Amino acid sequence: MSARSMRAAAALGALLGAGAARAAPLQGERDLSSYTFEQYHREFPERRWSALAAGWTAQVGELRQGIFEANLAAMRAHNADPNKTWFAAPNEFTDWTNDEFRAARTSRPSGGGGGEAAVGAAAAAPGAALPAGLPDSVDWRSKGVVTPVKNQGGCGSCWAFSAVETLESFLAIGEGATEAPVLSEQQVVSCMANPEGCGGSGGCAGATQGQAFNYTSGVGLSLESDYPYRGSGGCSASKTKPYAKNDGFVKLKVNDYTDLMTAVATKGPIAISLAAGSFGWQLYGGGVFGGRGKLSGCGYDQDHGVQLVGYGTDSGKDYWLVRNSWGKGWGEQGYIRIMRYGDGKEPCGTDETPQDGEACRGDTKPRTYCGLCGILGSSTYPTGARKVHSSASTGILV
């Protein structure tokens, strides 16, 4: 965050700070009125350890504290809005600039676009009518087919987490299991080629969920216990012990609200991509993301792969239920609820840099995505998910 940005965030906090006492807290919201940098380090000691490992100095400490205080002022200002539908809360990104956050947790390079303001047509007031025959709410976690929240760390492997988590769910559904197996993101990150440069250059530099499903349909996928996650690293054949496989994948219609609602209600959790590099995503603590406020926009620059595990309504606010891969310390125990507007009511905007999302090398034509944060833009799920085993003598999947 530049000095100018920090001053602006602090000024915003001062401007709205007087309203903090009048803003009713949302469920789970914390009082940050006296929260300090020292408390932050006690709550998130890994931030201090990381800084020490990188060479902590008084100058570094002053810089980090300045970023923290500017971000804290913006969080207090947002939380002071009596009309907010979500709240900001401290997490491991609270002393990061937004450039650092985007570079480490999305596929968008630091300094890229996708600021806080939404782009495109303004959305109609929420009030989403459900497609005929669908339940009022869906949460696949209650079925036991969603594995615990994971953390991709500093590797740009969100695409692999999105795909592998969804394969885990479809394997459990297909097998009639009450608990999903934990499969290996690392195998996909390290071993899957990306010759056409789709969604990035591969590995920690990005790819797409569809490519991952194609890879697992041919090679199969190991358990996490056999090929544990490390982030970066070369392919290790000795760790590849296929446990699951799929036949292929289905790509849903782009920007089709009913198609996505029907798929997540009747098929299972869906691998989706959206825009997650905004300041609001960085500081999200809980509630239904969207609505009013300077932090509530996210743009349409598709830069992050996640898993859609359901939908519902909270106090009249309709939402999509999304699982992230930034650990349980972010959001609602690793989840975010994103405002849902309804068929024909979803906002739309332009992704000017589609290679951060699903476009391949050389494809720079802007794309239109709909739904808050472009949530309707790119959605896939695997077909024919099943357990397999490999012959010890031949290595051939049978």
Side-chain angles (χ1 to χ4, degrees), residues 26 78-79 84-88 280 283-290 295-296:
L26 300 177
H78 172 81
N79 291 352
K84 67 182 185 296
T85 60
W86 65 277
F87 61 88
L283 303 178
Y284 173 78
V288 179
F289 185 82
L295 300 183
S296 293

Side-chain angles (χ1 to χ4, degrees), residues 157-204:
S157 52
C158 57
W159 59 277
F161 279 79
S162 173
V164 170
E165 290 165 356
T166 304
L167 182 55
E168 292 169 342
S169 295
F170 272 77
L171 179 61
I173 293 169
E175 296 283 333
T178 57
E179 184 176 357
V182 181
L183 301 176
S184 173
E185 285 85 10
Q186 190 64 53
Q187 180 188 335
V188 183
V189 171
S190 295
C191 302
M192 190 197 84
N194 186 8
E196 296 181 358
C198 300
S201 57
C204 290

Side-chain angles (χ1 to χ4, degrees), residues 55-346:
W56 183 272
T57 64
Q59 186 176 11
V60 170
E62 184 178 350
L63 173 65
R64 285 293 149 199
Q65 184 167 359
I67 295 169
F68 166 84
E69 290 179 351
N71 288 349
L72 181 62
M75 292 162 62
R76 288 170 174 163
H78 172 81
N79 291 352
D81 187 341
N83 296 306
K84 67 182 185 296
T85 60
W86 65 277
F87 61 88
N91 58 38
E92 65 174 295
F93 312 127
T94 307
D95 67 347
W96 290 18
T97 68
N98 189 242
D99 278 354
E100 289 172 325
F101 167 73
R102 291 199 306 267
R105 288 297 186 270
T106 74
S107 58
R108 183 190 302 136
S110 62
E116 292 112 36
V119 180
L130 292 170
L134 297 186
D136 292 339
S137 64
V138 170
D139 186 346
W140 282 100
R141 295 175 297 182
S142 65
K143 306 291 186 181
V145 300
V146 177
T147 54
V149 168
K150 306 177 185 182
N151 196 332
Q152 69 186 73
C155 172
S157 52
C158 57
W159 59 277
F161 279 79
S162 173
V164 170
E165 290 165 356
T166 304
L167 182 55
E168 292 169 342
S169 295
F170 272 77
L171 179 61
I173 293 169
E175 296 283 333
T178 57
E179 184 176 357
V182 181
L183 301 176
S184 173
E185 285 85 10
Q186 190 64 53
Q187 180 188 335
V188 183
V189 171
S190 295
C191 302
M192 190 197 84
N194 186 8
E196 296 181 358
C198 300
S201 57
C204 290
T208 67
Q209 297 96 319
Q211 288 175 292
F213 291 138
N214 278 338
Y215 169 81
T216 55
S217 69
V219 177
L221 188 60
S222 306
L223 290 167
E224 163 71 14
S225 57
D226 288 326
Y227 205 148
Y229 186 71
R230 295 291 183 270
S232 61
C235 187
S236 176
S238 65
K239 296 179 181 179
T240 303
K241 302 173 183 178
Y243 176 88
K245 192 178 182 183
N246 57 291
D247 292 334
F249 71 96
V250 170
K251 181 174 174 58
L252 301 182
K253 295 177 183 177
V254 176
N255 299 330
D256 193 310
Y257 175 88
T258 298
D259 210 22
L260 183 57
M261 286 283 290
T262 302
V264 76
T266 64
K267 299 295 184 182
I270 306 297
I272 64 173
S273 295
L274 40 62
S278 68
F279 201 26
W281 269 76
Q282 180 179 342
L283 303 178
Y284 173 78
V288 179
F289 185 82
R292 289 171 49 103
K294 291 182 178 294
L295 300 183
S296 293
C298 44
Y300 297 86
D301 190 348
Q302 203 177 83
D303 59 11
H304 190 50
V306 291
Q307 186 186 37
L308 177 66
V309 301
Y311 59 82
T313 303
D314 181 0
S315 302
K317 299 180 288 291
D318 301 311
Y319 62 82
W320 301 101
L321 178 61
V322 173
R323 174 191 183 180
N324 204 350
S325 54
W326 296 340
K328 287 187 175 182
W330 177 88
E332 296 180 328
Q333 294 291 303
Y335 285 79
I336 181 173
R337 289 179 291 161
I338 299 175
M339 193 165 288
R340 176 170 57 90
Y341 292 86
D343 193 17
K345 299 180 181 180
E346 298 289 338

